[in-house]
Amino acid sequence: MTATLSPLLQPLRRLRRGRAATRRRAHPSRALFVGFALAIALGATLLMLPIATESGVSTPFTVALFTATSAVCVTGLIVVDTPEHWSTFGEIVILVLFQVGGLGIMTAASVLGLLVSRRFGLRLQLTAHAERRTLGIADLKRILINVVKISLLIEAILTVVLTARLALGHGAPFGEALYTGLFHAVSAFNHAGFSLYSDSLTRFVSDPWITVPIMTAVILGGLGFPVLFELARNARNPRQWSLHSKITVLTTVALLVVGFGAILAVEWSNPDTMGPLGVGGKLLAGLFASVTSRSAGFNTVDTAAMEPATLMVLDVLMFIGGGSGGTAGGIKVTTFALLAFVILAEVRGEPSVHVMGRRLPAEVQRQALTIALLGVGLVMVSTITLLNMTDYDLDRVLFEVISAFATCGLSTGITGDLPPAGTLLLTALMFLGRLGPITAAAALALRDRPRKYELPEDRPIVG
């Protein structure tokens, strides 16, 4: 009987295998990885050209690859001094790379496809959905256009403010002020952390006309586009916000306040950081450090001179990162907040997790736990590996690893002195840190494999 039916079942089996292969090829996670990898490869190729350097000498492959990865993954870690090593052409290449990386490779591709053909395939829709974590696909065209509009609008406003301040307040020629203002505006909103100043923004530590607009752009980019869309519609009525927006805004504010207070408390009298500043300068520097540690990568005081306790505070803030669907990295504030709610419910002995009048599904709790533990595991393995490669202490190595994983860009100054293997490790970590939480969340959300049966329950001892 089996032999008789076998020829009849072969077409069905081939059809199933074809469908399975199509699902594997169409998975948005794979498309995202390929898109970002292609952008990095193209960027590295352009940065290796002699025209991309001030000296006219071709840049080594590892340096070009690291810089391109840092730009596309909007990290900001560097192994060469940006204004000293790269020419104007090289700086523009870096600018384009972190603009593309900030918007998302497939988001930009979706917008381009819309302008050309006015139509989308399911694969493209799901890919853009995974990158930006928007909450619906039906109005994807409008959402993608609004993403670009909001990004360009915020960057344009910040460019005008920075250009005016640099030209009028610091005496820079208008052309130089415009170029510098544009570069830092795009870098700030996209959380890229690249600067045209060798000391980042330390020269502006007490200048609120530079630091406050940059902090504002960093916060807006870190909230995420789904939250920005909702705030634009219902800014005056928080009760109508979605649970996601409420959690993102409240957790972001809480982390900014806690980070601000902790950094001030430790660094207030540090003679190498905030000690020489006045009260106003200290408050501004502390707030800037708290804001930019959420994945922006700029600094107005010397990070390498900070106390070990401050570095640990920054480690935590960097690892958490910003909001889902934004330009920030890390495991995301919603992941952190959801885990906190799960712990609170368990401590209270409640059978389910309730947040702001809503019950959290069990699968969402598992997704948050999975993303957080994967991040911890990746950071731990990378830290141990880098410690074995170098003679640096744990504080500096752990800080560098978390900064790469969370695509933050802050550094204690050891990145440029790492061996080639260490540089490649951080390169891979930036790539995985940028795409890992996004693709893991997309894969977990899209994966639905119900069990056909359940095994008998048993309870191992916990604790």
Side-chain angles (χ1 to χ4, degrees), residues 102-104 107 131-134 143 146-152 154-155 189-190 220-233 244-245 323-327:
L103 291 175
T107 301
E131 164 63 10
R132 279 295 160 212
R133 302 296 294 162
T134 51
I143 290 175
N146 286 339
V147 165
V148 177
K149 285 183 177 179
I150 290 178
S151 300
L152 296 181
I154 294 175
E155 292 170 359
F189 180 71
N190 289 290
L220 292 176
L223 287 176
F225 286 104
V227 177
L228 292 180
F229 291 155
E230 192 158 5
L231 293 180
R233 292 192 301 266
H244 171 78
S245 294
S324 301
T327 50

PDB file of all heavy atoms in Angstrom, residues 102-104 107 131-134 143 146-152 154-155 189-190 220-233 244-245 323-327:
ATOM      1  N   GLY A 102      20.808  53.998  10.635  1.00  0.00           N
ATOM      2  CA  GLY A 102      19.808  54.474  11.582  1.00  0.00           C
ATOM      3  C   GLY A 102      18.392  54.229  11.098  1.00  0.00           C
ATOM      4  O   GLY A 102      17.514  53.834  11.857  1.00  0.00           O
ATOM      5  N   LEU A 103      18.153  54.503   9.849  1.00  0.00           N
ATOM      6  CA  LEU A 103      16.814  54.282   9.304  1.00  0.00           C
ATOM      7  C   LEU A 103      16.511  52.795   9.133  1.00  0.00           C
ATOM      8  O   LEU A 103      15.345  52.394   9.167  1.00  0.00           O
ATOM      9  CB  LEU A 103      16.672  54.986   7.954  1.00  0.00           C
ATOM     10  CG  LEU A 103      16.645  56.519   7.982  1.00  0.00           C
ATOM     11  CD1 LEU A 103      16.620  57.070   6.560  1.00  0.00           C
ATOM     12  CD2 LEU A 103      15.451  57.034   8.756  1.00  0.00           C
ATOM     13  N   GLY A 104      17.537  52.011   8.924  1.00  0.00           N
ATOM     14  CA  GLY A 104      17.319  50.578   8.686  1.00  0.00           C
ATOM     15  C   GLY A 104      17.427  50.297   7.202  1.00  0.00           C
ATOM     16  O   GLY A 104      16.805  50.976   6.382  1.00  0.00           O
ATOM     17  N   THR A 107      14.084  49.344   5.722  1.00  0.00           N
ATOM     18  CA  THR A 107      13.148  50.464   5.742  1.00  0.00           C
ATOM     19  C   THR A 107      13.424  51.379   4.558  1.00  0.00           C
ATOM     20  O   THR A 107      12.504  51.801   3.847  1.00  0.00           O
ATOM     21  CB  THR A 107      13.264  51.249   7.055  1.00  0.00           C
ATOM     22  OG1 THR A 107      12.982  50.374   8.143  1.00  0.00           O
ATOM     23  CG2 THR A 107      12.313  52.419   7.089  1.00  0.00           C
ATOM     24  N   GLU A 131      12.373  45.401  11.421  1.00  0.00           N
ATOM     25  CA  GLU A 131      13.418  46.376  11.726  1.00  0.00           C
ATOM     26  C   GLU A 131      12.887  47.526  12.565  1.00  0.00           C
ATOM     27  O   GLU A 131      13.525  47.962  13.510  1.00  0.00           O
ATOM     28  CB  GLU A 131      14.022  46.910  10.416  1.00  0.00           C
ATOM     29  CG  GLU A 131      14.843  48.180  10.582  1.00  0.00           C
ATOM     30  CD  GLU A 131      16.058  47.988  11.470  1.00  0.00           C
ATOM     31  OE1 GLU A 131      16.384  46.850  11.818  1.00  0.00           O
ATOM     32  OE2 GLU A 131      16.669  48.996  11.853  1.00  0.00           O
ATOM     33  N   ARG A 132      11.734  48.028  12.248  1.00  0.00           N
ATOM     34  CA  ARG A 132      11.235  49.198  12.955  1.00  0.00           C
ATOM     35  C   ARG A 132      10.227  48.861  14.037  1.00  0.00           C
ATOM     36  O   ARG A 132       9.803  49.733  14.773  1.00  0.00           O
ATOM     37  CB  ARG A 132      10.600  50.171  11.941  1.00  0.00           C
ATOM     38  CG  ARG A 132      11.678  50.988  11.257  1.00  0.00           C
ATOM     39  CD  ARG A 132      12.364  51.874  12.259  1.00  0.00           C
ATOM     40  NE  ARG A 132      13.652  52.300  11.758  1.00  0.00           N
ATOM     41  CZ  ARG A 132      14.693  52.535  12.508  1.00  0.00           C
ATOM     42  NH1 ARG A 132      14.632  52.342  13.794  1.00  0.00           N
ATOM     43  NH2 ARG A 132      15.817  52.953  11.986  1.00  0.00           N
ATOM     44  N   ARG A 133       9.844  47.605  14.136  1.00  0.00           N
ATOM     45  CA  ARG A 133       8.938  47.139  15.189  1.00  0.00           C
ATOM     46  C   ARG A 133       7.642  47.930  15.204  1.00  0.00           C
ATOM     47  O   ARG A 133       7.076  48.241  16.240  1.00  0.00           O
ATOM     48  CB  ARG A 133       9.614  47.226  16.552  1.00  0.00           C
ATOM     49  CG  ARG A 133      10.887  46.436  16.656  1.00  0.00           C
ATOM     50  CD  ARG A 133      10.671  44.958  16.494  1.00  0.00           C
ATOM     51  NE  ARG A 133       9.900  44.405  17.577  1.00  0.00           N
ATOM     52  CZ  ARG A 133       9.282  43.252  17.516  1.00  0.00           C
ATOM     53  NH1 ARG A 133       9.299  42.540  16.418  1.00  0.00           N
ATOM     54  NH2 ARG A 133       8.612  42.795  18.536  1.00  0.00           N
ATOM     55  N   THR A 134       7.155  48.336  14.030  1.00  0.00           N
ATOM     56  CA  THR A 134       5.872  49.006  13.969  1.00  0.00           C
ATOM     57  C   THR A 134       4.781  48.016  14.279  1.00  0.00           C
ATOM     58  O   THR A 134       4.957  46.818  14.166  1.00  0.00           O
ATOM     59  CB  THR A 134       5.639  49.603  12.562  1.00  0.00           C
ATOM     60  OG1 THR A 134       5.866  48.593  11.592  1.00  0.00           O
ATOM     61  CG2 THR A 134       6.585  50.760  12.323  1.00  0.00           C
ATOM     62  N   ILE A 143       3.473  54.656   7.120  1.00  0.00           N
ATOM     63  CA  ILE A 143       4.405  54.613   8.250  1.00  0.00           C
ATOM     64  C   ILE A 143       5.834  54.825   7.766  1.00  0.00           C
ATOM     65  O   ILE A 143       6.597  55.605   8.346  1.00  0.00           O
ATOM     66  CB  ILE A 143       4.277  53.278   9.002  1.00  0.00           C
ATOM     67  CG1 ILE A 143       2.939  53.224   9.741  1.00  0.00           C
ATOM     68  CG2 ILE A 143       5.429  53.084   9.975  1.00  0.00           C
ATOM     69  CD1 ILE A 143       2.660  51.910  10.427  1.00  0.00           C
ATOM     70  N   ASN A 146       6.440  58.375   6.844  1.00  0.00           N
ATOM     71  CA  ASN A 146       6.514  59.206   8.050  1.00  0.00           C
ATOM     72  C   ASN A 146       7.831  59.008   8.793  1.00  0.00           C
ATOM     73  O   ASN A 146       8.346  59.943   9.417  1.00  0.00           O
ATOM     74  CB  ASN A 146       5.339  58.886   8.971  1.00  0.00           C
ATOM     75  CG  ASN A 146       4.035  59.451   8.462  1.00  0.00           C
ATOM     76  OD1 ASN A 146       4.021  60.387   7.669  1.00  0.00           O
ATOM     77  ND2 ASN A 146       2.920  58.896   8.900  1.00  0.00           N
ATOM     78  N   VAL A 147       8.372  57.782   8.769  1.00  0.00           N
ATOM     79  CA  VAL A 147       9.676  57.534   9.391  1.00  0.00           C
ATOM     80  C   VAL A 147      10.733  58.439   8.774  1.00  0.00           C
ATOM     81  O   VAL A 147      11.505  59.102   9.470  1.00  0.00           O
ATOM     82  CB  VAL A 147      10.073  56.049   9.243  1.00  0.00           C
ATOM     83  CG1 VAL A 147      11.556  55.853   9.543  1.00  0.00           C
ATOM     84  CG2 VAL A 147       9.244  55.176  10.155  1.00  0.00           C
ATOM     85  N   VAL A 148      10.758  58.476   7.456  1.00  0.00           N
ATOM     86  CA  VAL A 148      11.745  59.306   6.762  1.00  0.00           C
ATOM     87  C   VAL A 148      11.472  60.784   7.011  1.00  0.00           C
ATOM     88  O   VAL A 148      12.396  61.572   7.272  1.00  0.00           O
ATOM     89  CB  VAL A 148      11.738  58.988   5.257  1.00  0.00           C
ATOM     90  CG1 VAL A 148      12.705  59.909   4.517  1.00  0.00           C
ATOM     91  CG2 VAL A 148      12.109  57.538   5.014  1.00  0.00           C
ATOM     92  N   LYS A 149      10.213  61.193   6.960  1.00  0.00           N
ATOM     93  CA  LYS A 149       9.877  62.603   7.177  1.00  0.00           C
ATOM     94  C   LYS A 149      10.294  63.067   8.568  1.00  0.00           C
ATOM     95  O   LYS A 149      10.908  64.131   8.728  1.00  0.00           O
ATOM     96  CB  LYS A 149       8.370  62.818   6.976  1.00  0.00           C
ATOM     97  CG  LYS A 149       7.912  62.810   5.529  1.00  0.00           C
ATOM     98  CD  LYS A 149       6.419  63.099   5.447  1.00  0.00           C
ATOM     99  CE  LYS A 149       5.947  63.164   4.007  1.00  0.00           C
ATOM    100  NZ  LYS A 149       4.481  63.423   3.912  1.00  0.00           N
ATOM    101  N   ILE A 150       9.936  62.281   9.579  1.00  0.00           N
ATOM    102  CA  ILE A 150      10.273  62.674  10.952  1.00  0.00           C
ATOM    103  C   ILE A 150      11.778  62.710  11.138  1.00  0.00           C
ATOM    104  O   ILE A 150      12.327  63.636  11.766  1.00  0.00           O
ATOM    105  CB  ILE A 150       9.615  61.696  11.954  1.00  0.00           C
ATOM    106  CG1 ILE A 150       8.098  61.895  11.952  1.00  0.00           C
ATOM    107  CG2 ILE A 150      10.163  61.912  13.358  1.00  0.00           C
ATOM    108  CD1 ILE A 150       7.360  60.938  12.863  1.00  0.00           C
ATOM    109  N   SER A 151      12.481  61.723  10.605  1.00  0.00           N
ATOM    110  CA  SER A 151      13.942  61.684  10.742  1.00  0.00           C
ATOM    111  C   SER A 151      14.574  62.923  10.122  1.00  0.00           C
ATOM    112  O   SER A 151      15.392  63.601  10.759  1.00  0.00           O
ATOM    113  CB  SER A 151      14.505  60.426  10.080  1.00  0.00           C
ATOM    114  OG  SER A 151      13.987  59.264  10.670  1.00  0.00           O
ATOM    115  N   LEU A 152      14.199  63.211   8.893  1.00  0.00           N
ATOM    116  CA  LEU A 152      14.794  64.352   8.204  1.00  0.00           C
ATOM    117  C   LEU A 152      14.398  65.673   8.854  1.00  0.00           C
ATOM    118  O   LEU A 152      15.209  66.613   8.912  1.00  0.00           O
ATOM    119  CB  LEU A 152      14.380  64.339   6.730  1.00  0.00           C
ATOM    120  CG  LEU A 152      14.869  63.138   5.908  1.00  0.00           C
ATOM    121  CD1 LEU A 152      14.409  63.271   4.458  1.00  0.00           C
ATOM    122  CD2 LEU A 152      16.383  63.013   5.980  1.00  0.00           C
ATOM    123  N   ILE A 154      13.675  66.254  12.131  1.00  0.00           N
ATOM    124  CA  ILE A 154      14.432  66.444  13.369  1.00  0.00           C
ATOM    125  C   ILE A 154      15.891  66.752  13.059  1.00  0.00           C
ATOM    126  O   ILE A 154      16.503  67.643  13.682  1.00  0.00           O
ATOM    127  CB  ILE A 154      14.314  65.185  14.250  1.00  0.00           C
ATOM    128  CG1 ILE A 154      12.870  65.007  14.718  1.00  0.00           C
ATOM    129  CG2 ILE A 154      15.242  65.282  15.461  1.00  0.00           C
ATOM    130  CD1 ILE A 154      12.625  63.733  15.498  1.00  0.00           C
ATOM    131  N   GLU A 155      16.458  66.049  12.102  1.00  0.00           N
ATOM    132  CA  GLU A 155      17.850  66.316  11.734  1.00  0.00           C
ATOM    133  C   GLU A 155      18.021  67.716  11.153  1.00  0.00           C
ATOM    134  O   GLU A 155      19.032  68.389  11.424  1.00  0.00           O
ATOM    135  CB  GLU A 155      18.320  65.261  10.734  1.00  0.00           C
ATOM    136  CG  GLU A 155      18.444  63.861  11.328  1.00  0.00           C
ATOM    137  CD  GLU A 155      18.666  62.785  10.290  1.00  0.00           C
ATOM    138  OE1 GLU A 155      18.701  63.122   9.089  1.00  0.00           O
ATOM    139  OE2 GLU A 155      18.805  61.602  10.672  1.00  0.00           O
ATOM    140  N   PHE A 189      20.831  62.073  16.141  1.00  0.00           N
ATOM    141  CA  PHE A 189      19.506  61.475  16.036  1.00  0.00           C
ATOM    142  C   PHE A 189      19.587  59.980  15.782  1.00  0.00           C
ATOM    143  O   PHE A 189      18.756  59.210  16.279  1.00  0.00           O
ATOM    144  CB  PHE A 189      18.688  62.147  14.932  1.00  0.00           C
ATOM    145  CG  PHE A 189      17.309  61.579  14.784  1.00  0.00           C
ATOM    146  CD1 PHE A 189      16.343  61.818  15.742  1.00  0.00           C
ATOM    147  CD2 PHE A 189      16.983  60.784  13.698  1.00  0.00           C
ATOM    148  CE1 PHE A 189      15.068  61.283  15.625  1.00  0.00           C
ATOM    149  CE2 PHE A 189      15.709  60.244  13.570  1.00  0.00           C
ATOM    150  CZ  PHE A 189      14.749  60.499  14.537  1.00  0.00           C
ATOM    151  N   ASN A 190      20.592  59.564  15.020  1.00  0.00           N
ATOM    152  CA  ASN A 190      20.747  58.139  14.719  1.00  0.00           C
ATOM    153  C   ASN A 190      21.572  57.403  15.766  1.00  0.00           C
ATOM    154  O   ASN A 190      21.879  56.225  15.595  1.00  0.00           O
ATOM    155  CB  ASN A 190      21.386  57.956  13.338  1.00  0.00           C
ATOM    156  CG  ASN A 190      20.439  58.330  12.218  1.00  0.00           C
ATOM    157  OD1 ASN A 190      19.465  57.634  11.960  1.00  0.00           O
ATOM    158  ND2 ASN A 190      20.703  59.443  11.561  1.00  0.00           N
ATOM    159  N   LEU A 220      14.728  61.688  21.461  1.00  0.00           N
ATOM    160  CA  LEU A 220      13.691  61.420  20.468  1.00  0.00           C
ATOM    161  C   LEU A 220      14.031  60.188  19.639  1.00  0.00           C
ATOM    162  O   LEU A 220      13.168  59.339  19.383  1.00  0.00           O
ATOM    163  CB  LEU A 220      13.515  62.640  19.555  1.00  0.00           C
ATOM    164  CG  LEU A 220      12.915  63.892  20.201  1.00  0.00           C
ATOM    165  CD1 LEU A 220      12.882  65.043  19.202  1.00  0.00           C
ATOM    166  CD2 LEU A 220      11.520  63.617  20.732  1.00  0.00           C
ATOM    167  N   GLY A 221      15.287  60.081  19.208  1.00  0.00           N
ATOM    168  CA  GLY A 221      15.675  58.904  18.437  1.00  0.00           C
ATOM    169  C   GLY A 221      15.615  57.632  19.252  1.00  0.00           C
ATOM    170  O   GLY A 221      15.347  56.565  18.717  1.00  0.00           O
ATOM    171  N   GLY A 222      15.842  57.752  20.573  1.00  0.00           N
ATOM    172  CA  GLY A 222      15.833  56.583  21.432  1.00  0.00           C
ATOM    173  C   GLY A 222      14.457  56.111  21.841  1.00  0.00           C
ATOM    174  O   GLY A 222      14.296  54.964  22.279  1.00  0.00           O
ATOM    175  N   LEU A 223      13.436  56.961  21.714  1.00  0.00           N
ATOM    176  CA  LEU A 223      12.080  56.542  22.067  1.00  0.00           C
ATOM    177  C   LEU A 223      11.522  55.527  21.078  1.00  0.00           C
ATOM    178  O   LEU A 223      10.754  54.636  21.453  1.00  0.00           O
ATOM    179  CB  LEU A 223      11.141  57.748  22.132  1.00  0.00           C
ATOM    180  CG  LEU A 223      11.306  58.690  23.326  1.00  0.00           C
ATOM    181  CD1 LEU A 223      10.377  59.893  23.188  1.00  0.00           C
ATOM    182  CD2 LEU A 223      11.037  57.955  24.640  1.00  0.00           C
ATOM    183  N   GLY A 224      11.909  55.656  19.829  1.00  0.00           N
ATOM    184  CA  GLY A 224      11.389  54.745  18.809  1.00  0.00           C
ATOM    185  C   GLY A 224      10.251  55.372  18.039  1.00  0.00           C
ATOM    186  O   GLY A 224       9.449  56.143  18.588  1.00  0.00           O
ATOM    187  N   PHE A 225      10.163  55.044  16.764  1.00  0.00           N
ATOM    188  CA  PHE A 225       9.150  55.655  15.905  1.00  0.00           C
ATOM    189  C   PHE A 225       7.721  55.291  16.282  1.00  0.00           C
ATOM    190  O   PHE A 225       6.830  56.140  16.178  1.00  0.00           O
ATOM    191  CB  PHE A 225       9.433  55.294  14.444  1.00  0.00           C
ATOM    192  CG  PHE A 225      10.601  56.034  13.873  1.00  0.00           C
ATOM    193  CD1 PHE A 225      11.820  55.413  13.686  1.00  0.00           C
ATOM    194  CD2 PHE A 225      10.492  57.379  13.540  1.00  0.00           C
ATOM    195  CE1 PHE A 225      12.906  56.098  13.179  1.00  0.00           C
ATOM    196  CE2 PHE A 225      11.574  58.074  13.027  1.00  0.00           C
ATOM    197  CZ  PHE A 225      12.782  57.433  12.846  1.00  0.00           C
ATOM    198  N   PRO A 226       7.425  54.064  16.724  1.00  0.00           N
ATOM    199  CA  PRO A 226       6.048  53.811  17.158  1.00  0.00           C
ATOM    200  C   PRO A 226       5.603  54.731  18.268  1.00  0.00           C
ATOM    201  O   PRO A 226       4.459  55.196  18.278  1.00  0.00           O
ATOM    202  CB  PRO A 226       6.106  52.341  17.624  1.00  0.00           C
ATOM    203  CG  PRO A 226       7.227  51.742  16.852  1.00  0.00           C
ATOM    204  CD  PRO A 226       8.243  52.825  16.728  1.00  0.00           C
ATOM    205  N   VAL A 227       6.493  55.035  19.212  1.00  0.00           N
ATOM    206  CA  VAL A 227       6.150  55.947  20.306  1.00  0.00           C
ATOM    207  C   VAL A 227       6.026  57.373  19.792  1.00  0.00           C
ATOM    208  O   VAL A 227       5.110  58.109  20.185  1.00  0.00           O
ATOM    209  CB  VAL A 227       7.202  55.857  21.425  1.00  0.00           C
ATOM    210  CG1 VAL A 227       6.904  56.865  22.534  1.00  0.00           C
ATOM    211  CG2 VAL A 227       7.247  54.450  22.005  1.00  0.00           C
ATOM    212  N   LEU A 228       6.937  57.784  18.923  1.00  0.00           N
ATOM    213  CA  LEU A 228       6.859  59.135  18.366  1.00  0.00           C
ATOM    214  C   LEU A 228       5.557  59.348  17.604  1.00  0.00           C
ATOM    215  O   LEU A 228       4.931  60.412  17.700  1.00  0.00           O
ATOM    216  CB  LEU A 228       8.058  59.399  17.445  1.00  0.00           C
ATOM    217  CG  LEU A 228       9.433  59.496  18.113  1.00  0.00           C
ATOM    218  CD1 LEU A 228      10.506  59.751  17.067  1.00  0.00           C
ATOM    219  CD2 LEU A 228       9.451  60.593  19.161  1.00  0.00           C
ATOM    220  N   PHE A 229       5.137  58.351  16.825  1.00  0.00           N
ATOM    221  CA  PHE A 229       3.867  58.459  16.106  1.00  0.00           C
ATOM    222  C   PHE A 229       2.712  58.643  17.076  1.00  0.00           C
ATOM    223  O   PHE A 229       1.829  59.484  16.870  1.00  0.00           O
ATOM    224  CB  PHE A 229       3.629  57.197  15.263  1.00  0.00           C
ATOM    225  CG  PHE A 229       4.574  57.049  14.106  1.00  0.00           C
ATOM    226  CD1 PHE A 229       4.861  55.797  13.579  1.00  0.00           C
ATOM    227  CD2 PHE A 229       5.185  58.155  13.535  1.00  0.00           C
ATOM    228  CE1 PHE A 229       5.741  55.652  12.529  1.00  0.00           C
ATOM    229  CE2 PHE A 229       6.064  58.020  12.476  1.00  0.00           C
ATOM    230  CZ  PHE A 229       6.340  56.767  11.974  1.00  0.00           C
ATOM    231  N   GLU A 230       2.726  57.861  18.143  1.00  0.00           N
ATOM    232  CA  GLU A 230       1.620  57.928  19.100  1.00  0.00           C
ATOM    233  C   GLU A 230       1.639  59.232  19.881  1.00  0.00           C
ATOM    234  O   GLU A 230       0.588  59.817  20.153  1.00  0.00           O
ATOM    235  CB  GLU A 230       1.684  56.739  20.050  1.00  0.00           C
ATOM    236  CG  GLU A 230       0.427  56.568  20.869  1.00  0.00           C
ATOM    237  CD  GLU A 230       0.257  55.160  21.398  1.00  0.00           C
ATOM    238  OE1 GLU A 230       1.172  54.338  21.209  1.00  0.00           O
ATOM    239  OE2 GLU A 230      -0.799  54.888  21.992  1.00  0.00           O
ATOM    240  N   LEU A 231       2.826  59.715  20.240  1.00  0.00           N
ATOM    241  CA  LEU A 231       2.910  60.990  20.940  1.00  0.00           C
ATOM    242  C   LEU A 231       2.430  62.133  20.052  1.00  0.00           C
ATOM    243  O   LEU A 231       1.813  63.094  20.534  1.00  0.00           O
ATOM    244  CB  LEU A 231       4.349  61.248  21.394  1.00  0.00           C
ATOM    245  CG  LEU A 231       4.904  60.318  22.479  1.00  0.00           C
ATOM    246  CD1 LEU A 231       6.336  60.704  22.824  1.00  0.00           C
ATOM    247  CD2 LEU A 231       4.038  60.373  23.723  1.00  0.00           C
ATOM    248  N   ALA A 232       2.720  62.037  18.759  1.00  0.00           N
ATOM    249  CA  ALA A 232       2.267  63.076  17.837  1.00  0.00           C
ATOM    250  C   ALA A 232       0.742  63.116  17.740  1.00  0.00           C
ATOM    251  O   ALA A 232       0.142  64.179  17.577  1.00  0.00           O
ATOM    252  CB  ALA A 232       2.876  62.853  16.458  1.00  0.00           C
ATOM    253  N   ARG A 233       0.107  61.946  17.877  1.00  0.00           N
ATOM    254  CA  ARG A 233      -1.350  61.894  17.777  1.00  0.00           C
ATOM    255  C   ARG A 233      -2.038  62.217  19.099  1.00  0.00           C
ATOM    256  O   ARG A 233      -3.062  62.907  19.111  1.00  0.00           O
ATOM    257  CB  ARG A 233      -1.788  60.503  17.298  1.00  0.00           C
ATOM    258  CG  ARG A 233      -1.414  60.161  15.882  1.00  0.00           C
ATOM    259  CD  ARG A 233      -2.147  58.913  15.423  1.00  0.00           C
ATOM    260  NE  ARG A 233      -1.845  57.774  16.284  1.00  0.00           N
ATOM    261  CZ  ARG A 233      -0.899  56.880  16.039  1.00  0.00           C
ATOM    262  NH1 ARG A 233      -0.147  57.017  14.961  1.00  0.00           N
ATOM    263  NH2 ARG A 233      -0.691  55.871  16.856  1.00  0.00           N
ATOM    264  N   HIS A 244       2.742  49.851  25.233  1.00  0.00           N
ATOM    265  CA  HIS A 244       4.130  49.970  24.793  1.00  0.00           C
ATOM    266  C   HIS A 244       4.650  51.385  24.986  1.00  0.00           C
ATOM    267  O   HIS A 244       5.761  51.587  25.516  1.00  0.00           O
ATOM    268  CB  HIS A 244       4.251  49.568  23.318  1.00  0.00           C
ATOM    269  CG  HIS A 244       5.595  49.860  22.725  1.00  0.00           C
ATOM    270  ND1 HIS A 244       6.687  49.068  22.951  1.00  0.00           N
ATOM    271  CD2 HIS A 244       6.020  50.884  21.934  1.00  0.00           C
ATOM    272  CE1 HIS A 244       7.735  49.577  22.316  1.00  0.00           C
ATOM    273  NE2 HIS A 244       7.355  50.674  21.697  1.00  0.00           N
ATOM    274  N   SER A 245       3.874  52.380  24.586  1.00  0.00           N
ATOM    275  CA  SER A 245       4.308  53.775  24.719  1.00  0.00           C
ATOM    276  C   SER A 245       4.432  54.177  26.182  1.00  0.00           C
ATOM    277  O   SER A 245       5.380  54.872  26.575  1.00  0.00           O
ATOM    278  CB  SER A 245       3.326  54.701  23.997  1.00  0.00           C
ATOM    279  OG  SER A 245       3.349  54.470  22.603  1.00  0.00           O
ATOM    280  N   GLY A 323      14.459  52.677  23.273  1.00  0.00           N
ATOM    281  CA  GLY A 323      13.166  52.095  22.954  1.00  0.00           C
ATOM    282  C   GLY A 323      13.193  51.246  21.702  1.00  0.00           C
ATOM    283  O   GLY A 323      14.033  51.422  20.816  1.00  0.00           O
ATOM    284  N   SER A 324      12.250  50.323  21.619  1.00  0.00           N
ATOM    285  CA  SER A 324      12.109  49.471  20.434  1.00  0.00           C
ATOM    286  C   SER A 324      11.649  50.310  19.250  1.00  0.00           C
ATOM    287  O   SER A 324      10.804  51.177  19.386  1.00  0.00           O
ATOM    288  CB  SER A 324      11.092  48.361  20.707  1.00  0.00           C
ATOM    289  OG  SER A 324      11.485  47.563  21.792  1.00  0.00           O
ATOM    290  N   GLY A 325      12.205  50.012  18.072  1.00  0.00           N
ATOM    291  CA  GLY A 325      11.810  50.736  16.882  1.00  0.00           C
ATOM    292  C   GLY A 325      12.524  52.047  16.706  1.00  0.00           C
ATOM    293  O   GLY A 325      12.190  52.811  15.810  1.00  0.00           O
ATOM    294  N   GLY A 326      13.509  52.346  17.574  1.00  0.00           N
ATOM    295  CA  GLY A 326      14.279  53.579  17.444  1.00  0.00           C
ATOM    296  C   GLY A 326      15.686  53.295  16.974  1.00  0.00           C
ATOM    297  O   GLY A 326      16.018  52.193  16.526  1.00  0.00           O
ATOM    298  N   THR A 327      16.546  54.293  17.092  1.00  0.00           N
ATOM    299  CA  THR A 327      17.920  54.154  16.625  1.00  0.00           C
ATOM    300  C   THR A 327      18.862  53.720  17.733  1.00  0.00           C
ATOM    301  O   THR A 327      20.062  53.599  17.507  1.00  0.00           O
ATOM    302  CB  THR A 327      18.400  55.494  16.038  1.00  0.00           C
ATOM    303  OG1 THR A 327      18.121  56.544  16.973  1.00  0.00           O
ATOM    304  CG2 THR A 327      17.686  55.787  14.742  1.00  0.00           C
TER     305      THR A 327
END
